[in-house]
Amino acid sequence: MTETPHPLYDRHAETLNRALTAITERGYWSAYPESPSPRVYGETAAADGKAAFEAYLDGDFPLDQPGTGDRVATEASPFGLKLGVRYPHAGADALVAAASAALPAWRDAGPQARVGVCLEILDRLHKHVFELANAVQFTTGQAFVMAFQAGGAHALDRALEALAYGYAEMTRHPGTAGWEKAAGKGEPLRMTKTFHVVPRGVALVVGCNTFPTWNSYPGLFASLVTGNPVVVKPHPRAVLPLAITVRYAREVLAEAGFDPDLILLAPEAPGEKLASTLALHPAVKIVDFTGSTEYGDWLEANARQAAVYTEKAGLNTVVVDSTDDFAGMCRNLGFTLSLYSGQMCTTSQNILIPADGIATDQGHKSFDEVAAGIAAAVGKLTADPARGVEFTGAIVNDGVLARLAEVTGVGETVLESRTVEHPAFPDAVVRTPTIVKLPADATGTYSQEWFGPISFVIATDSTAHSLEILKSTVGEKGALTAAVYATDEAVLDAAEAAAIEVGVHLSANLTGGVFVNQSAAFSDFHGSGANPAANAALTDGAYVANRFRIVQSRRPA
């Protein structure tokens, strides 16, 4: 039995084929331009997108879903903008029942139809990327360009990457096969075998506050393309980006002749704990989560009926041994620590430097001079408020502010965090990064995650000691990124061996326009699944293949 091509598959086959090539070559490729320039998107795209975003404010979000009774509004913008968007609210049973009813026709449509429809959803979202970027900006505190790139173009690239992996895994085996076995002098035994891709069931995506689209799209589209309907439970403070996503996805599904309830929005009322209720529902068979270690661990331990994919907290670490570009190293690390006020799961926290200092192209630098160089780079980026806020954005929630207050009581401050008035949004909550000096034995402080614009420069006995600290802390608590600066190949090799041992992705000698806290779709893996910070990688075959099963039937030929 050969699957009949779907019109949307034909429309987007070139994009899919290019993505399939990209995941095998692992070089640079992007399907969605990351520059918001009018030369790329047209003269009116930015204004049209902003107007579409503003039309949602202080109103009922246009989403018609089953089981809806009241509406909820839970968002507060870090920029001080009044949002007031009211979303349709439904209970877990109603959402799961609607999603379950939509599954059979979606399953039976086959991989080509599903990937075609999913590619059309990405195309529709790309047409509304400025609308999406504004929603990401004003719910997360990201500056606009970062929201456009990470929350728009790069999130779409990650979604496409998941579709490519999903399609490759579903089509790894033929749909049908003829089987023949000799049977002595009689007629051979002949069978016709059919192999069905069978989805696991309803999927749940639990969104995060800081990167609602970038972190949610891989799981969302990996589940959808493999036949699973998806319930999207946004973070209460970042609902709008995922509501927009669900809105346009439902439009495309309906236009393609499928039940729009294949994707549903599940905003929660304050204190409702809807994510936990949904995660334990017997019909929910897949859970994707990004957020705290505590809740990720709870999901892994308790959602036993589901395949659970988690990205949690970690201790991202930099080992500084030596450098042939001291200014470039400081500049690169300064940008890393300043970008989005360190509110990225990939931002470096622990910077390990020998107490005796390091060799550089500017001569020997003491520990204090290295710390001061990094602090000066941060200070330069954030000195001018108008320019600085385009790097730092705004503080996403009160938990970050509480940690900033707490860290003043530990160690010796190298760089103090400052309150900055945003030139465009006077009510925005903006804080510059702080850097604190610690001794190597202060493990009680630096072996916990301080999410936000907080980093530690830690004086170690030697580079070998630094690598031991990396292995012990990352091995126990996990990390998504690690970096090393060294001019000696033996040190670079030792750092790579340490990174492999604890399963963390390593970057070496970054001094230019590539930063440790950024990753490129189709080339870089995000998370490894090999340490406690994440139990899966975005995106590889293992991330998608367990979202479906192959069920065969066979008949005599």
Side-chain angles (χ1 to χ4, degrees):
M1 181 179 66
T2 303
E3 187 179 358
T4 302
H6 191 276
L8 291 178
Y9 175 86
D10 292 338
R11 180 183 299 176
H12 299 290
E14 183 178 350
T15 299
L16 175 62
N17 289 332
R18 186 63 187 85
L20 289 167
T21 299
I23 63 173
T24 60
E25 293 180 344
R26 309 305 300 180
Y28 173 76
W29 182 68
S30 173
Y32 307 100
E34 66 177 3
S35 170
S37 169
R39 293 189 298 274
V40 178
Y41 285 94
E43 294 296 329
T44 66
D48 292 345
K50 185 176 182 181
F53 159 73
E54 290 174 343
Y56 293 124
L57 304 183
D58 198 26
D60 291 343
F61 190 84
L63 199 62
D64 183 18
Q65 294 188 167
T68 299
D70 57 340
R71 285 183 173 260
V72 294
T74 55
E75 293 162 305
S77 174
F79 288 105
L81 184 73
K82 185 178 183 296
L83 299 175
V85 188
R86 298 179 291 272
Y87 302 96
H89 178 247
D93 288 339
L95 292 166
V96 172
S100 298
L103 186 152
W106 186 239
R107 174 197 63 208
D108 296 343
Q112 281 197 356
R114 290 197 298 269
V115 78
V117 172
C118 287
L119 287 163
E120 179 70 12
I121 293 172
L122 296 189
D123 186 67
R124 186 71 54 88
L125 290 171
H126 190 223
K127 287 181 170 64
H128 293 272
V129 68
F130 281 90
E131 176 183 335
L132 198 61
N134 276 275
V136 171
Q137 176 185 6
F138 287 106
T139 56
T140 68
Q142 294 176 28
F144 177 77
V145 172
M146 183 177 184
F148 184 90
Q149 292 178 343
H154 296 170
L156 292 170
D157 272 335
R158 282 295 188 190
L160 178 56
E161 184 180 32
L163 294 184
Y165 272 105
Y167 187 75
E169 292 295 330
M170 288 188 293
T171 57
R172 179 184 296 275
H173 306 291
T176 60
W179 182 88
E180 183 174 310
K181 179 183 178 183
K185 295 180 180 179
E187 285 292 312
L189 302 174
R190 296 186 180 92
M191 303 289 289
T192 298
K193 302 185 180 184
T194 304
F195 305 97
H196 302 275
V197 173
V198 178
R200 292 182 69 104
V202 176
L204 170 66
V205 173
V206 182
C208 65
N209 194 171
T210 48
F211 289 89
T213 53
W214 197 98
N215 277 110
S216 296
Y217 278 13
L220 192 165
F221 284 96
S223 287
L224 196 62
V225 77
T226 51
N228 307 277
V230 182
V231 176
V232 180
K233 209 298 292 183
H235 191 283
R237 294 175 66 96
V239 183
L240 186 55
L242 290 175
I244 292 169
T245 301
V246 171
R247 175 191 178 182
Y248 291 122
R250 287 174 64 86
E251 279 187 9
V252 171
L253 286 162
E255 291 167 9
F258 293 100
D259 190 335
D261 292 343
L262 285 163
I263 185 166
L264 295 153
L265 188 72
E268 63 179 333
E272 183 182 10
K273 298 184 177 178
L274 182 58
S276 298
T277 303
L278 284 165
L280 300 183
H281 196 289
V284 170
K285 300 299 184 183
I286 301 167
V287 177
D288 286 279
F289 166 76
T290 300
S292 70
T293 296
E294 181 182 13
Y295 192 64
D297 289 346
W298 183 89
L299 287 170
E300 291 172 5
N302 291 280
R304 305 304 295 253
Q305 84 292 348
V308 178
Y309 302 88
T310 60
E311 181 195 310
K312 299 172 288 189
L315 304 177
N316 301 318
T317 302
V318 180
V319 173
V320 181
D321 171 80
S322 54
T323 179
D324 58 8
D325 184 0
F326 182 73
M329 180 189 77
C330 293
R331 188 169 55 246
N332 191 280
L333 287 173
F335 184 92
T336 293
L337 303 183
S338 302
L339 187 62
Y340 188 29
S341 298
Q343 298 170 122
M344 301 173 67
C345 57
T346 50
T347 299
S348 305
Q349 173 181 295
N350 296 336
I351 304 173
L352 305 170
I353 307 166
D356 291 340
I358 66 170
T360 81
D361 58 316
Q362 300 178 17
H364 184 269
K365 294 285 186 181
S366 69
F367 173 87
D368 286 342
E369 287 175 320
V370 177
I374 298 169
V378 173
K380 184 175 181 180
L381 283 171
T382 59
D384 176 19
R387 181 171 176 263
V389 294
E390 297 306 315
F391 294 104
T392 65
I395 298 300
V396 71
N397 58 45
D398 291 341
V400 176
L401 295 177
R403 283 186 289 276
L404 273 171
E406 182 184 356
V407 80
T408 59
V410 303
E412 178 185 339
T413 300
V414 179
L415 179 69
E416 290 187 3
S417 176
R418 295 181 293 110
T419 298
V420 176
E421 184 172 334
H422 197 295
F425 303 103
D427 294 327
V429 180
V430 181
R431 300 289 188 274
T432 62
T434 187
I435 299 175
V436 175
K437 187 191 307 183
L438 292 175
D441 60 4
T443 53
T445 298
Y446 66 77
S447 64
Q448 61 178 305
E449 186 190 38
W450 295 71
F451 183 78
I454 298 167
S455 57
F456 302 106
V457 286
I458 301 162
T460 67
D461 295 340
S462 63
T463 296
H465 187 207
S466 297
L467 291 174
E468 288 302 317
I469 291 173
L470 181 150
K471 288 193 290 184
S472 63
T473 55
V474 174
E476 181 182 355
K477 298 295 180 66
L480 294 173
T481 65
V484 60
Y485 288 90
T487 56
D488 186 336
E489 286 294 327
V491 174
L492 293 174
D493 289 344
E496 188 153 351
I500 291 169
E501 184 176 331
V502 295
V504 63
H505 302 309
L506 178 71
S507 299
N509 293 330
L510 298 182
T511 57
V514 176
F515 304 94
V516 68
N517 52 342
Q518 298 175 318
S519 66
F522 304 105
S523 186
D524 294 323
F525 293 108
H526 175 75
S528 67
N531 70 60
N535 70 359
L538 305 182
T539 308
D540 61 6
Y543 185 69
V544 299
N546 201 30
R547 296 171 191 261
F548 67 91
R549 288 288 185 262
I550 300 293
V551 178
Q552 74 169 49
S553 63
R554 56 186 184 176
R555 301 180 185 181

